[in-house]
Amino acid sequence: MTRLTADSLADSERPVASPDGRAADDQPKWRRDFPIDSGQDDYVSRRELVKFMVLTSGAFVAGQVWLLVKSVFEGSAAAPPAMAIASVDELPVGGAKTFEFPAGSPPRLLVRTGPASFVAYDQQCTHLLCPVVPAFEQNRLHCPCHNGWFDLATGQPVAGPPRRPLPRVTLELRGGTVYATGVELGES
Amino acid sequence: MPVPERHEFFVDPARCIGCQACIQACSECDTHKGQSMIQLDVLDRAGSTQTVPVVCMHCDSPTCAEVCPADAIKRTEDGVVQTARKPRCIACNNCVLACPFGVPKMNSRIGLMMKCDMCYDRTSVGLKPMCASVCPSQALSFGTREEMARLRPNARPVNAFRFGNQTIRTRVQLMVPADAADGLVDVTAAMFEPGIGHDMLEDVFDAASARSDS
């Protein structure tokens, strides 16, 4: 094991910090990105930090702009045409029926509150999207998942975890038929 | 705190008596209790009782770190190559296969490569590594170059090695006879030397060259 070569080290075979023998600046980028020395490995330059912060906050800004643009375009979408959802005789006072408006939407809930009065809301609770059920005797809508309560007349949350009102479906009574004419998103 | 430049690690395999005190001392350490990071190699079990303690040589250009795909092996500013970083090591065995000295070993039970880090917790505060502090024949010794020159006038330290096309300079010094020629330890050449190299090696290399010739 202790055999020594007679010649001493020639300059060309002097070991250097990198295997290919080139200077640190001439090394490929991956070698500079993954340095062996722990000092360089832990080092974050000011430029890197600033770049990271700018790009991250830029991403946040871009996200906000995207949300804004999206909401503008959604708001300008044409209101869906009125749709017959039930006949007046179909439901007793206090009775309820689910429907989709427009077709393919999340389920909505129609409740007959009086001889000639109807209300309709999104059936999804504004807390965690559980379906709400009418509690007509208490004049409320109930979400049994987390005991959330909404006012039947306005859709406003009155108790439990929900903090936002249920989106309301505007209705119109024509002859003996209930038509849905639009959806009012509750202010969030 | 870095390990002081003047304190160097000297390995003299000729003084090794195979007592395994270094292995015991290494596995006493609280940072890797029960697991020794030093190995004792028996050179030729059939023909000799000679053993060699294998500690990390702490290369200038550590091959283990070069081949690590997970960027887990790092060298401190004082040239001590640390054991694999626990959160990074993926137990791929690249370093185990690549190290020319055969130092890294895989602990497959916990999926972590553990290798000698020259007892960095001790040497960086001026203490000897555990193995050097217990070695009865001082085959492993830690001290200044002047101390070594005074205590061992018949030997001198060498820290350059050639493995085929790869030349390596190490932080750990190997003691060689004082009258040996200047230069580096040519490991590949020594493998073919009668009385040092293993007969089997020649068979392997001859077979390989015969294959490539045909």
Side-chain angles (χ1 to χ4, degrees), chain A residues 29-172:
Chain A
K29 186 167 187 307
W30 64 266
R31 196 184 286 286
R32 282 179 274 128
D33 281 352
F34 299 100
I36 284 167
D37 286 305
S38 53
Q40 292 170 43
D41 188 53
D42 296 339
Y43 180 72
V44 179
S45 70
R46 180 185 307 202
R47 182 169 296 185
E48 266 173 70
L49 178 73
V50 168
K51 197 159 113 186
F52 172 78
M53 300 297 275
V54 166
L55 288 178
T56 310
S57 50
F60 276 113
V61 169
Q64 297 287 330
V65 168
W66 181 73
L67 285 176
L68 193 73
V69 169
K70 194 176 154 222
S71 68
V72 164
F73 276 96
E74 274 184 358
S76 68
M83 196 172 98
I85 51 176
S87 64
V88 175
D89 304 334
E90 195 180 325
L91 291 174
V93 172
K97 182 192 175 182
T98 54
F99 63 97
E100 287 181 359
F101 172 75
S105 74
R108 324 272 191 192
L109 186 69
L110 173 74
V111 183
R112 185 172 183 181
T113 52
S117 59
F118 290 82
V119 286
Y121 300 104
D122 240 24
Q123 206 193 1
Q124 291 174 326
C125 174
T126 53
H127 175 223
L128 287 174
L129 305 182
C130 281
V132 293
V133 293
F136 184 68
E137 294 75 21
Q138 299 163 65
N139 213 18
R140 283 175 173 188
L141 291 163
H142 182 217
C143 175
C145 283
H146 303 102
N147 203 23
W149 294 88
F150 297 90
D151 186 28
L152 185 58
T154 60
Q156 292 292 328
V158 289
R163 287 285 173 271
R164 284 167 291 146
L166 291 170
R168 184 184 186 125
V169 181
T170 53
L171 301 173
E172 206 172 291

Side-chain angles (χ1 to χ4, degrees), chain A residues 3-5 31 35 37-38, chain B residues 66 74-75 181-182 185 193:
Chain A
R3 175 197 157 115
L4 299 182
T5 52
R31 196 184 286 286
D37 286 305
S38 53
Chain B
E66 290 288 345
K74 292 290 156 211
R75 179 179 53 191
D182 264 353
V185 180
E193 202 162 282

Side-chain angles (χ1 to χ4, degrees), chain B residues 171-187:
Chain B
R171 192 188 151 116
V172 175
Q173 307 280 335
L174 185 75
M175 299 302 283
V176 298
D179 55 0
D182 264 353
L184 41 70
V185 180
D186 195 333
V187 180

